[in-house]
Amino acid sequence: AAAAAAPGPDVTTYHGDLLRTGWQQDETALTPQAVAGGAFGGLWTSVPLGGDLHGQPLFVAGVRVGGVPHDVVYAATDADTVWALDARTGHVLWGPVTVGTPVPASALQCGDINPVGITGTPVADPARGALYAVAMTMPAGAAGPQYELVGLRLGDGSPLPGFPVPLAPRAAGGPAFDARVQQERGALTLLPGGNVLEVPFGGFDGDCGDYHGWVQQIWLPHPEDQASYVTPTAREGGLWGAAGLAYGPEGALFGVTGNSSGVSATDMGDAVLRLLPTPHLSQPPGPAGFFAPSNAVRLDVADFDLGTAGALLLPAQPGPYPYLLFTMGKQGVGYLVDRWYPGGVSGGDGVSDEGVWSGCMYGACGGVGAAVFSEAAYYASSGAQYVLTAGITAQHPPCAGRGGLEAWRLETGADVARPSLTLAWCGPSMADPGSPTVSSDGPNGAVAWILDAGSARLLAVDGTTGRLLWEGAVLPVERFTVPTVAAGTVFVPTRTAIQAFGLAGA
């Protein structure tokens, strides 16, 4: 089986890498046997952090704080604060660093977060000792809220030279950017080399105002140097999923939009976008620049948009489709899409024959009730490749549960005409699962970790069989959140604090 390049122990971006696989391959302590053996449990809970946590915690090893190296967990809140915690003890190393005045819900036209500060997952650059986050702020004397890109030093939280800088997306001859109706929910994407940052925008809960899907590209050596992309929808078409934009080694960015005015399948309102960051931020014309299912307009009208899940980029595969991505949406249908040539509007029946492959994964996929709100993950184990999904409606037959994890075996290769996914196992039922992450020692001993916001539980599931290894209560968590696994520890972002879980005495 193909495998992604093994990441280091650091978790510096959403789901651990630019492909958004969610696969931590350097975890030697948290084997299935150890997790199920009775020694796994809570290690520490941090002090209250003073604001809700929607983004994934980041982990960087060996950061010098006050001249002493520490393994550090970084957390950003909707109170517009950033914290650095000792990963071993939970003690505060620095923070709270306040980066602005958060925006009260009363200053916005709609939304379900109050106040709004830093919502999307930040990104860290250990090579430059930098942490970047986007904060919604209410500057003193300003007519309304604005977004700012914040740059902080990893070691002490002090601002980097030239930061913060306002984000001011602009489209020549296009719509105006109105911060009051644009939400920065998606994770930030730092491209290889550390010079270019991508920031996605969608709309707030309630879909109010004249919002669109925007991508703001920032040249970090001179952060006032910015470029913009906006979806060509009459309205909406936001990039609001937690994963933000994925980036493939072939040099393209991928994001997934949700909701639009429902006029045309080509308006990018319910589509996978393929964007080129160089020589300037742009979208290739025609079918080379997007994929949309044949029933995109119906999905728009029914509010069963794709944008609940971002693009999961799969490692290079043998056979006629070397570069694939996976995505799914509220309808419960999953799609494999060719990253080289997404193909424009597909020609299937709304469930099957869309893109390279598609199929029903949760529920009846008949447009009755939303089925999926979570990102997927990828991992390889015992010679097989898996796409790991999470949904909230009935599991795919022959599984009989409702919601929770499903593992789909990726069938691909030189002798396979068209890649496909087949159901391998289902995990225990869940009420409102977040996005999963997977830890393993290379291709061995995979464990899937997931938070259930509906029951405030952390679950560990065997990545080969789907067997429940461990479950335990956590403090209440926000929807869509994902735990971070690093150095033998699982870090859980709750509404008020970071909680750490691991092996006693390790």
Side-chain angles (χ1 to χ4, degrees):
D10 293 345
V11 179
T12 62
T13 190
Y14 183 91
H15 255 178
D17 55 38
L18 290 173
L19 302 181
R20 305 306 195 205
T21 65
W23 184 19
Q24 171 58 278
Q25 299 180 51
D26 293 291
E27 183 47 62
T28 59
L30 298 178
T31 64
Q33 296 77 15
V35 173
F40 185 85
L43 299 178
W44 52 258
T45 299
S46 74
V47 298
L49 301 183
D52 289 352
L53 288 87
H54 287 85
Q56 181 176 355
L58 304 180
F59 174 92
V60 182
V63 178
R64 299 192 74 84
V65 181
V68 178
H70 292 266
D71 293 347
V72 184
V73 176
Y74 296 92
T77 80
D78 269 294
D80 267 342
T81 57
V82 182
W83 299 73
L85 308 175
D86 187 293
R88 308 301 173 187
T89 65
H91 294 163
V92 176
L93 296 173
W94 55 254
V97 171
T98 300
V99 299
T101 301
V103 178
S106 59
L108 305 171
Q109 296 183 26
C110 63
D112 57 357
I113 298 174
N114 186 30
V116 181
I118 301 173
T119 308
T121 300
V123 65
D125 184 357
R128 302 189 183 192
L131 178 75
Y132 303 103
V134 169
M136 192 180 215
T137 67
M138 184 69 81
Q146 70 176 27
Y147 283 101
E148 294 183 336
L149 175 63
V150 176
L152 304 176
R153 290 186 174 90
L154 292 176
D156 60 12
S158 61
L160 294 168
F163 293 89
V165 61
L167 296 181
R170 297 181 179 87
F177 181 90
D178 184 352
R180 296 171 300 172
V181 297
Q182 298 282 171
Q183 184 184 35
E184 203 297 290
R185 178 67 182 86
L188 309 190
T189 302
L190 182 64
L191 300 191
N195 288 324
V196 179
L197 186 71
E198 311 289 349
V199 182
F201 290 91
F204 287 99
D205 178 67
D207 293 327
C208 57
D210 186 16
Y211 79 88
H212 294 75
W214 289 84
V215 177
Q216 192 71 353
Q217 180 172 280
I218 300 98
W219 175 249
L220 292 174
H222 302 283
E224 68 282 355
D225 186 358
Q226 303 178 19
S228 304
Y229 166 86
V230 62
T231 50
T233 53
R235 179 177 168 271
E236 304 177 314
L239 289 149
W240 66 270
L245 300 171
Y247 177 80
E250 72 275 17
L253 290 160
F254 296 89
V256 186
T257 62
N259 289 348
S260 79
S261 53
V263 174
S264 168
T266 62
D267 73 352
M268 311 299 165
D270 250 288
V272 175
L273 306 180
R274 177 173 178 253
L275 304 177
L276 304 179
T278 59
H280 54 83
L281 185 61
S282 62
Q283 183 178 25
F290 78 103
F291 160 82
S294 61
N295 61 338
V297 173
R298 185 167 66 84
L299 295 178
D300 283 337
V301 173
D303 192 26
F304 290 150
D305 45 296
L306 289 182
T308 52
L312 164 62
L313 309 191
L314 305 181
Q317 302 292 321
Y321 296 94
Y323 292 110
L324 292 168
L325 68 79
F326 172 82
T327 194
M328 62 190 312
K330 292 180 186 176
Q331 186 186 6
V333 175
Y335 309 84
L336 290 174
V337 178
D338 185 355
R339 293 182 354 229
W340 275 125
Y341 189 78
V345 180
S346 192
D349 62 9
V351 176
S352 59
D353 297 323
E354 305 280 356
V356 174
W357 175 91
S358 66
C360 185
M361 293 186 161
Y362 288 92
C365 294
V368 179
V372 173
F373 286 93
S374 302
E375 310 291 346
Y378 164 91
Y379 65 100
S381 178
S382 302
Q385 299 182 82
Y386 296 93
V387 171
L388 188 64
T389 62
I392 61 174
T393 53
Q395 294 175 350
H396 192 278
C399 300
R402 185 173 184 83
L405 292 171
E406 294 179 351
W408 295 79
R409 186 189 298 264
L410 176 64
E411 308 290 350
T412 186
D415 57 346
V416 175
R418 295 182 74 85
S420 63
L421 294 168
T422 57
L423 184 65
W425 56 258
C426 294
S429 297
M430 298 177 68
D432 191 3
S435 299
T437 191
V438 180
S439 64
S440 69
D441 182 7
N444 304 310
V447 177
W449 304 90
I450 190 166
L451 290 164
D452 184 359
S455 61
R457 291 181 300 154
L458 171 67
L459 291 83
V461 174
D462 189 298
T464 303
T465 66
R467 176 174 65 96
L468 180 65
L469 301 172
W470 182 90
E471 65 176 327
V474 298
L475 295 172
V477 298
E478 296 290 352
R479 203 176 202 187
F480 314 134
T481 47
V482 55
T484 295
V485 184
T489 309
V490 182
F491 302 99
V492 172
T494 75
R495 289 178 181 168
T496 56
I498 299 290
Q499 289 186 286
F501 295 81
L503 300 173

